[in-house]
Amino acid sequence: MLLEAKGELFGKHLVATDGRIGTVRDVYFDDQRWVVRYLEVDAGTGVPGRKVLISPASIRRNGSGHKDIAVTLTREQVRNCPGPDEHQPVSRQFEEAHANYYGYPFYWDGPYLWGTTQHPITGAPSVTTPPQGAPPRERTQDLKEAEQQARESHLRSSDEVIGYRVVATDGPIGHVEDFVVDETNWGIDRMIVDTRNWLPGKHVLVPVDAVDSVDWLTREMRLKVTRDEVEDAPRA
């Protein structure tokens, strides 16, 4: 099922096995793999005064409804989970503590969307495992590469990126209105671009593989396609 992040996912209630936790107010996505890594939950009901990040690995398949997202956690588990610094970006140290606490594999350990698989899974934290028979030098190199990839990965708040100016190869064409998320693997398939300043009243769906780069200083999403190609994209 495809969901618009701001339009449909924000505002959903997160429900633990023993009651409601809170309300989804943002998602953090990986700007390299284009996948949602965490739901940010305003846990005023279940865990008062805390911002809680919940991995899609906790979400129960076929257990969510129109207004609710069911997770396989208890409120006590969430209450005692590591919390990110409210005023700092989500750090790798936090992610490691978060994964270890819940027993999730590290999503950065492997070539696929969720490390060793294309879908979020629960289980013991993973360790980079080289092919059997690999000499020690290759094993060390594999570990170093995994650590480097982990350091280079970045999480971004969708609430922050929504509103960024979209710039095609031949000039500005609109701004980011929303992201379309696939609930089966929590990948971001497309973004909704509002082109009203150039194409009045028109919202189009642009695939994320059309993104060339994101400039966080200038708040721009730069594309590899032309304005005409954006204009010809399917309407949202």
Side-chain angles (χ1 to χ4, degrees), residues 96 109 153 173 180 219:
E96 290 177 349
D109 267 358
S153 65
I173 190 59
V180 179
R219 298 175 59 85

Side-chain angles (χ1 to χ4, degrees), residues 13 16 18 29 34 37 45 47-48 63 65 81 105 116 128 134 138 143 157 160 167 171-172 188 204 216 231:
H13 303 300
D18 54 352
F29 68 92
W34 290 99
R37 299 299 186 190
T45 301
V47 190
C81 73
T116 57
T128 302
E138 290 184 18
L143 181 57
S157 158
E160 173 197 344
V167 182
I188 297 176
V204 295
W216 311 110
E231 182 177 359

Side-chain angles (χ1 to χ4, degrees), residues 7-236:
E8 296 173 289
L9 189 55
F10 290 9
K12 280 198 172 191
H13 303 300
L14 208 73
V15 182
T17 57
D18 54 352
R20 183 177 293 181
I21 299 171
T23 304
V24 178
R25 67 182 184 186
D26 196 2
V27 297
Y28 283 81
F29 68 92
D30 183 332
D31 67 6
Q32 295 181 335
R33 295 285 185 90
W34 290 99
V35 56
V36 171
R37 299 299 186 190
Y38 303 99
L39 307 182
E40 180 185 319
V41 177
D42 180 358
T45 301
V47 190
R50 287 196 65 193
K51 177 177 80 173
V52 176
L53 298 187
I54 300 294
S55 167
S58 300
I59 296 174
R60 289 172 49 195
R61 293 185 180 181
N62 304 318
S64 302
H66 178 65
K67 296 183 178 180
D68 296 334
I69 297 176
V71 294
T72 59
L73 308 173
T74 66
R75 289 192 295 176
E76 184 68 18
Q77 282 179 291
V78 176
R79 184 176 296 112
N80 295 324
C81 73
D85 190 317
E86 287 279 350
H87 306 291
Q88 297 293 332
V90 176
S91 67
R92 179 61 70 195
Q93 288 85 352
F94 164 79
E95 290 197 89
E96 290 177 349
H98 187 276
N100 283 323
Y101 175 80
Y102 286 114
Y104 301 145
F106 299 150
Y107 66 76
W108 54 89
D109 267 358
Y112 302 108
L113 203 61
W114 288 92
T116 57
T117 178
Q118 291 288 2
H119 297 84
I121 58 172
T122 57
S126 62
V127 176
T128 302
T129 304
Q132 280 193 337
R137 184 181 61 82
E138 290 184 18
R139 294 178 186 220
T140 301
Q141 184 64 28
D142 286 345
L143 181 57
K144 287 182 177 179
E145 288 178 0
E147 290 173 345
Q148 182 65 25
Q149 290 172 358
R151 285 194 296 269
E152 292 177 350
S153 65
H154 296 282
L155 293 176
R156 302 294 175 183
S157 158
S158 67
D159 191 47
E160 173 197 344
V161 178
I162 289 172
Y164 275 23
R165 185 167 69 157
V166 177
V167 182
T169 56
D170 51 354
I173 190 59
H175 68 266
V176 179
E177 180 70 15
D178 208 343
F179 294 99
V180 179
V181 179
D182 186 343
E183 276 192 301
T184 60
N185 61 8
W186 291 88
I188 297 176
D189 180 61
R190 291 163 288 179
M191 62 179 177
I192 299 175
V193 177
D194 182 349
T195 63
R196 61 187 170 188
N197 292 334
W198 290 265
L199 307 168
K202 186 173 182 180
H203 292 73
V204 295
L205 293 167
V206 176
V208 294
D209 59 12
V211 177
D212 182 56
S213 64
V214 182
D215 191 319
W216 311 110
L217 294 177
T218 62
R219 298 175 59 85
E220 290 182 343
M221 186 85 70
R222 296 171 184 166
L223 306 182
K224 296 180 286 188
V225 297
T226 65
R227 294 169 68 175
D228 284 344
E229 288 176 283
V230 174
E231 182 177 359
D232 292 338
R235 288 180 177 267

